Amino acid sequence: MTTAAPSSPKLFETVALGPLTLPHRLVMAPLTRNRATPEGVPTPLMATYYAQRASAGLIIAEASTPNAVGQTYPNITAIHSPAHVAGWRRVTDAVRAEGGRMFLQIQHGGRAGHPDTSGLTPVAPSPVALPGTIHTPAGRVPSVVPREMTTEDIASTVADFASAARNAIEAGFEGVEVHSANGHLLHQFLAQGTNRRTDAYGGPVDHRIRFVVEVTEAVAAAIGPERVGLRVSPWSTVNGVEEGDTEEIYPALLGALAGSGPAYLHVGYADPEDPVFQRIRKDWPGTLIANPVLPKDRIPDDGGLAHAERLLAAGADLIALGRPFLANPDLIRRMRTGAPVNQVRDAYLMYVGGETGYTDYPALPSGA
């Protein structure tokens, strides 16, 4: 049974993003679901999954690693070999056939990795282990102390991000999102708790932002800034990260990036009442994507519509939703009409593989 259609004219307006014209302001956020091959190649099932959700204004595809040592968990995607490019090309072709547009998120896990998964000792700004355990092909095991990156490692990783961006364009993506959030490598450089270096990449804020700036600028130089976004998550403690001086990090980072002109900034866990979010909106001259904090135990009955409208009112240009798109391949139709939404089946989120809880969420019947 449907209810009256919600009133949200701004949310469903067309909007420009770099050279793209998006049909509305709702973006599918990157969602790692571990359905790739052990080698990181996207599967035909993934092409089906993303094509089902092509009505999103933009799909930001799940995190893909730019090199082997950047792998986090089993069966995540990568973008550093011809096989990865070919696998992703099948996905982008399927989405484009349904009228959709895609960016690819590029993510290096840093200390959030394990030799049992990648075959390599993870690297990080400093030899500070991820707290607790991490998922591997054998299940959860204790984390390992990462190897501190040398300046040569840093330079080669910057080059790997640029190469991965070029691969993403070859694979048919409209652009890429550099992942500097959720406690992964770039975020580890920003945070005091994980970056204990005393060289040009550690210590004061202007040193700790340097790696993120170099990566973002290298990616922009490789494929054009209009094809590049950057994701951040101020205050986030995901993967045990401790920023320490959040209020100083992000104004400095945005100031340093002002000249390189990425197409957008994507703020995770965005709270319209948070002074840091408000400062980011004030300081960032370009497109701002905001990813709201939804209840952990359920998707709101409106699919997140009210949260989206609050962030639009606070100055966001686009709204990224994750779980609502996972459970509702036709989320846009449901939001436009006020139809009820599917809830996520948590048991099938990650590490399980297969269609269940992935491509088998029902869409509304035709004409409903």
Side-chain angles (χ1 to χ4, degrees), residues 283-304:
D283 289 351
W284 184 248
T287 298
L288 183 67
I289 302 179
N291 174 216
V293 180
L294 300 182
K296 292 183 178 180
D297 61 339
R298 63 178 285 107
I299 297 170
D301 291 341
D302 65 0

PDB file of all heavy atoms in Angstrom, residues 283-304:
ATOM      1  N   ASP A 283      33.452  26.487   4.032  1.00  0.00           N
ATOM      2  CA  ASP A 283      34.778  26.559   3.416  1.00  0.00           C
ATOM      3  C   ASP A 283      34.847  25.921   2.036  1.00  0.00           C
ATOM      4  O   ASP A 283      35.704  26.297   1.230  1.00  0.00           O
ATOM      5  CB  ASP A 283      35.810  25.867   4.315  1.00  0.00           C
ATOM      6  CG  ASP A 283      36.100  26.641   5.590  1.00  0.00           C
ATOM      7  OD1 ASP A 283      35.643  27.796   5.701  1.00  0.00           O
ATOM      8  OD2 ASP A 283      36.775  26.085   6.474  1.00  0.00           O
ATOM      9  N   TRP A 284      33.987  24.925   1.772  1.00  0.00           N
ATOM     10  CA  TRP A 284      34.108  24.184   0.518  1.00  0.00           C
ATOM     11  C   TRP A 284      33.340  24.895  -0.586  1.00  0.00           C
ATOM     12  O   TRP A 284      32.122  25.021  -0.521  1.00  0.00           O
ATOM     13  CB  TRP A 284      33.586  22.762   0.693  1.00  0.00           C
ATOM     14  CG  TRP A 284      33.758  21.913  -0.532  1.00  0.00           C
ATOM     15  CD1 TRP A 284      32.774  21.427  -1.344  1.00  0.00           C
ATOM     16  CD2 TRP A 284      34.997  21.451  -1.095  1.00  0.00           C
ATOM     17  NE1 TRP A 284      33.316  20.698  -2.375  1.00  0.00           N
ATOM     18  CE2 TRP A 284      34.678  20.700  -2.250  1.00  0.00           C
ATOM     19  CE3 TRP A 284      36.333  21.617  -0.735  1.00  0.00           C
ATOM     20  CZ2 TRP A 284      35.657  20.107  -3.045  1.00  0.00           C
ATOM     21  CZ3 TRP A 284      37.313  21.022  -1.528  1.00  0.00           C
ATOM     22  CH2 TRP A 284      36.970  20.278  -2.659  1.00  0.00           C
ATOM     23  N   PRO A 285      34.008  25.332  -1.648  1.00  0.00           N
ATOM     24  CA  PRO A 285      33.331  26.125  -2.671  1.00  0.00           C
ATOM     25  C   PRO A 285      32.550  25.300  -3.678  1.00  0.00           C
ATOM     26  O   PRO A 285      31.733  25.849  -4.428  1.00  0.00           O
ATOM     27  CB  PRO A 285      34.495  26.843  -3.363  1.00  0.00           C
ATOM     28  CG  PRO A 285      35.654  25.897  -3.215  1.00  0.00           C
ATOM     29  CD  PRO A 285      35.472  25.252  -1.872  1.00  0.00           C
ATOM     30  N   GLY A 286      32.797  24.009  -3.719  1.00  0.00           N
ATOM     31  CA  GLY A 286      32.197  23.166  -4.743  1.00  0.00           C
ATOM     32  C   GLY A 286      31.029  22.342  -4.235  1.00  0.00           C
ATOM     33  O   GLY A 286      30.423  22.614  -3.198  1.00  0.00           O
ATOM     34  N   THR A 287      30.709  21.292  -4.986  1.00  0.00           N
ATOM     35  CA  THR A 287      29.602  20.408  -4.653  1.00  0.00           C
ATOM     36  C   THR A 287      29.893  19.634  -3.378  1.00  0.00           C
ATOM     37  O   THR A 287      30.978  19.069  -3.206  1.00  0.00           O
ATOM     38  CB  THR A 287      29.347  19.423  -5.811  1.00  0.00           C
ATOM     39  OG1 THR A 287      28.989  20.170  -6.981  1.00  0.00           O
ATOM     40  CG2 THR A 287      28.236  18.447  -5.476  1.00  0.00           C
ATOM     41  N   LEU A 288      28.905  19.578  -2.491  1.00  0.00           N
ATOM     42  CA  LEU A 288      29.034  18.855  -1.229  1.00  0.00           C
ATOM     43  C   LEU A 288      28.016  17.718  -1.196  1.00  0.00           C
ATOM     44  O   LEU A 288      26.807  17.961  -1.314  1.00  0.00           O
ATOM     45  CB  LEU A 288      28.802  19.786  -0.045  1.00  0.00           C
ATOM     46  CG  LEU A 288      28.972  19.157   1.336  1.00  0.00           C
ATOM     47  CD1 LEU A 288      30.422  18.765   1.580  1.00  0.00           C
ATOM     48  CD2 LEU A 288      28.493  20.117   2.432  1.00  0.00           C
ATOM     49  N   ILE A 289      28.518  16.486  -1.072  1.00  0.00           N
ATOM     50  CA  ILE A 289      27.660  15.320  -0.868  1.00  0.00           C
ATOM     51  C   ILE A 289      27.661  15.006   0.618  1.00  0.00           C
ATOM     52  O   ILE A 289      28.722  14.929   1.245  1.00  0.00           O
ATOM     53  CB  ILE A 289      28.166  14.100  -1.658  1.00  0.00           C
ATOM     54  CG1 ILE A 289      28.253  14.409  -3.151  1.00  0.00           C
ATOM     55  CG2 ILE A 289      27.258  12.895  -1.422  1.00  0.00           C
ATOM     56  CD1 ILE A 289      28.781  13.252  -4.002  1.00  0.00           C
ATOM     57  N   ALA A 290      26.483  14.818   1.197  1.00  0.00           N
ATOM     58  CA  ALA A 290      26.367  14.507   2.617  1.00  0.00           C
ATOM     59  C   ALA A 290      25.705  13.144   2.784  1.00  0.00           C
ATOM     60  O   ALA A 290      24.681  12.855   2.160  1.00  0.00           O
ATOM     61  CB  ALA A 290      25.563  15.578   3.345  1.00  0.00           C
ATOM     62  N   ASN A 291      26.301  12.321   3.632  1.00  0.00           N
ATOM     63  CA  ASN A 291      25.807  10.981   3.937  1.00  0.00           C
ATOM     64  C   ASN A 291      25.262  11.004   5.366  1.00  0.00           C
ATOM     65  O   ASN A 291      26.033  11.086   6.322  1.00  0.00           O
ATOM     66  CB  ASN A 291      26.951   9.982   3.800  1.00  0.00           C
ATOM     67  CG  ASN A 291      26.605   8.573   4.234  1.00  0.00           C
ATOM     68  OD1 ASN A 291      27.451   7.883   4.787  1.00  0.00           O
ATOM     69  ND2 ASN A 291      25.401   8.125   3.997  1.00  0.00           N
ATOM     70  N   PRO A 292      23.929  10.983   5.556  1.00  0.00           N
ATOM     71  CA  PRO A 292      23.369  11.153   6.895  1.00  0.00           C
ATOM     72  C   PRO A 292      23.573   9.933   7.788  1.00  0.00           C
ATOM     73  O   PRO A 292      23.803   8.825   7.308  1.00  0.00           O
ATOM     74  CB  PRO A 292      21.881  11.377   6.620  1.00  0.00           C
ATOM     75  CG  PRO A 292      21.625  10.643   5.346  1.00  0.00           C
ATOM     76  CD  PRO A 292      22.890  10.817   4.531  1.00  0.00           C
ATOM     77  N   VAL A 293      23.468  10.162   9.077  1.00  0.00           N
ATOM     78  CA  VAL A 293      23.502   9.079  10.061  1.00  0.00           C
ATOM     79  C   VAL A 293      22.069   8.583  10.241  1.00  0.00           C
ATOM     80  O   VAL A 293      21.223   9.284  10.806  1.00  0.00           O
ATOM     81  CB  VAL A 293      24.075   9.552  11.403  1.00  0.00           C
ATOM     82  CG1 VAL A 293      24.107   8.399  12.399  1.00  0.00           C
ATOM     83  CG2 VAL A 293      25.472  10.135  11.220  1.00  0.00           C
ATOM     84  N   LEU A 294      21.782   7.374   9.750  1.00  0.00           N
ATOM     85  CA  LEU A 294      20.461   6.774   9.907  1.00  0.00           C
ATOM     86  C   LEU A 294      20.473   5.819  11.097  1.00  0.00           C
ATOM     87  O   LEU A 294      21.537   5.357  11.524  1.00  0.00           O
ATOM     88  CB  LEU A 294      20.076   6.018   8.634  1.00  0.00           C
ATOM     89  CG  LEU A 294      20.007   6.829   7.335  1.00  0.00           C
ATOM     90  CD1 LEU A 294      19.560   5.940   6.185  1.00  0.00           C
ATOM     91  CD2 LEU A 294      19.071   8.027   7.480  1.00  0.00           C
ATOM     92  N   PRO A 295      19.319   5.506  11.651  1.00  0.00           N
ATOM     93  CA  PRO A 295      19.278   4.550  12.770  1.00  0.00           C
ATOM     94  C   PRO A 295      19.956   3.232  12.401  1.00  0.00           C
ATOM     95  O   PRO A 295      19.819   2.738  11.278  1.00  0.00           O
ATOM     96  CB  PRO A 295      17.776   4.350  12.993  1.00  0.00           C
ATOM     97  CG  PRO A 295      17.140   5.596  12.466  1.00  0.00           C
ATOM     98  CD  PRO A 295      17.983   6.026  11.299  1.00  0.00           C
ATOM     99  N   LYS A 296      20.711   2.667  13.345  1.00  0.00           N
ATOM    100  CA  LYS A 296      21.437   1.434  13.071  1.00  0.00           C
ATOM    101  C   LYS A 296      20.522   0.219  12.961  1.00  0.00           C
ATOM    102  O   LYS A 296      20.854  -0.753  12.279  1.00  0.00           O
ATOM    103  CB  LYS A 296      22.489   1.187  14.158  1.00  0.00           C
ATOM    104  CG  LYS A 296      23.626   2.192  14.151  1.00  0.00           C
ATOM    105  CD  LYS A 296      24.662   1.845  15.204  1.00  0.00           C
ATOM    106  CE  LYS A 296      25.829   2.828  15.174  1.00  0.00           C
ATOM    107  NZ  LYS A 296      26.855   2.504  16.195  1.00  0.00           N
ATOM    108  N   ASP A 297      19.396   0.260  13.649  1.00  0.00           N
ATOM    109  CA  ASP A 297      18.559  -0.938  13.732  1.00  0.00           C
ATOM    110  C   ASP A 297      17.535  -1.066  12.623  1.00  0.00           C
ATOM    111  O   ASP A 297      16.951  -2.134  12.431  1.00  0.00           O
ATOM    112  CB  ASP A 297      17.856  -1.000  15.086  1.00  0.00           C
ATOM    113  CG  ASP A 297      16.939   0.204  15.329  1.00  0.00           C
ATOM    114  OD1 ASP A 297      17.147   1.245  14.675  1.00  0.00           O
ATOM    115  OD2 ASP A 297      16.033   0.091  16.174  1.00  0.00           O
ATOM    116  N   ARG A 298      17.317   0.022  11.858  1.00  0.00           N
ATOM    117  CA  ARG A 298      16.328  -0.069  10.789  1.00  0.00           C
ATOM    118  C   ARG A 298      16.473   1.121   9.841  1.00  0.00           C
ATOM    119  O   ARG A 298      16.998   2.174  10.202  1.00  0.00           O
ATOM    120  CB  ARG A 298      14.902  -0.127  11.335  1.00  0.00           C
ATOM    121  CG  ARG A 298      14.454   1.101  12.103  1.00  0.00           C
ATOM    122  CD  ARG A 298      13.007   0.978  12.572  1.00  0.00           C
ATOM    123  NE  ARG A 298      12.061   1.166  11.473  1.00  0.00           N
ATOM    124  CZ  ARG A 298      11.358   0.201  10.904  1.00  0.00           C
ATOM    125  NH1 ARG A 298      11.488  -1.066  11.290  1.00  0.00           N
ATOM    126  NH2 ARG A 298      10.513   0.455   9.914  1.00  0.00           N
ATOM    127  N   ILE A 299      15.983   0.912   8.627  1.00  0.00           N
ATOM    128  CA  ILE A 299      15.866   2.008   7.669  1.00  0.00           C
ATOM    129  C   ILE A 299      14.605   2.789   8.018  1.00  0.00           C
ATOM    130  O   ILE A 299      13.549   2.186   8.265  1.00  0.00           O
ATOM    131  CB  ILE A 299      15.786   1.460   6.233  1.00  0.00           C
ATOM    132  CG1 ILE A 299      17.071   0.729   5.872  1.00  0.00           C
ATOM    133  CG2 ILE A 299      15.528   2.590   5.236  1.00  0.00           C
ATOM    134  CD1 ILE A 299      16.983  -0.034   4.570  1.00  0.00           C
ATOM    135  N   PRO A 300      14.656   4.118   8.079  1.00  0.00           N
ATOM    136  CA  PRO A 300      13.432   4.878   8.364  1.00  0.00           C
ATOM    137  C   PRO A 300      12.327   4.535   7.368  1.00  0.00           C
ATOM    138  O   PRO A 300      12.583   4.162   6.215  1.00  0.00           O
ATOM    139  CB  PRO A 300      13.881   6.332   8.213  1.00  0.00           C
ATOM    140  CG  PRO A 300      15.354   6.309   8.441  1.00  0.00           C
ATOM    141  CD  PRO A 300      15.833   4.991   7.900  1.00  0.00           C
ATOM    142  N   ASP A 301      11.105   4.660   7.823  1.00  0.00           N
ATOM    143  CA  ASP A 301       9.971   4.297   6.974  1.00  0.00           C
ATOM    144  C   ASP A 301       9.920   5.108   5.688  1.00  0.00           C
ATOM    145  O   ASP A 301       9.376   4.640   4.682  1.00  0.00           O
ATOM    146  CB  ASP A 301       8.655   4.491   7.746  1.00  0.00           C
ATOM    147  CG  ASP A 301       8.493   3.483   8.876  1.00  0.00           C
ATOM    148  OD1 ASP A 301       9.180   2.434   8.853  1.00  0.00           O
ATOM    149  OD2 ASP A 301       7.686   3.757   9.795  1.00  0.00           O
ATOM    150  N   ASP A 302      10.501   6.308   5.714  1.00  0.00           N
ATOM    151  CA  ASP A 302      10.512   7.135   4.501  1.00  0.00           C
ATOM    152  C   ASP A 302      11.764   6.905   3.660  1.00  0.00           C
ATOM    153  O   ASP A 302      12.026   7.636   2.706  1.00  0.00           O
ATOM    154  CB  ASP A 302      10.373   8.623   4.853  1.00  0.00           C
ATOM    155  CG  ASP A 302      11.557   9.161   5.652  1.00  0.00           C
ATOM    156  OD1 ASP A 302      12.489   8.387   5.948  1.00  0.00           O
ATOM    157  OD2 ASP A 302      11.546  10.367   5.978  1.00  0.00           O
ATOM    158  N   GLY A 303      12.588   5.897   4.017  1.00  0.00           N
ATOM    159  CA  GLY A 303      13.796   5.589   3.266  1.00  0.00           C
ATOM    160  C   GLY A 303      14.953   6.533   3.533  1.00  0.00           C
ATOM    161  O   GLY A 303      16.008   6.411   2.905  1.00  0.00           O
ATOM    162  N   GLY A 304      14.777   7.460   4.460  1.00  0.00           N
ATOM    163  CA  GLY A 304      15.809   8.456   4.746  1.00  0.00           C
ATOM    164  C   GLY A 304      15.474   9.826   4.186  1.00  0.00           C
ATOM    165  O   GLY A 304      16.312  10.736   4.222  1.00  0.00           O
TER     166      GLY A 304
END
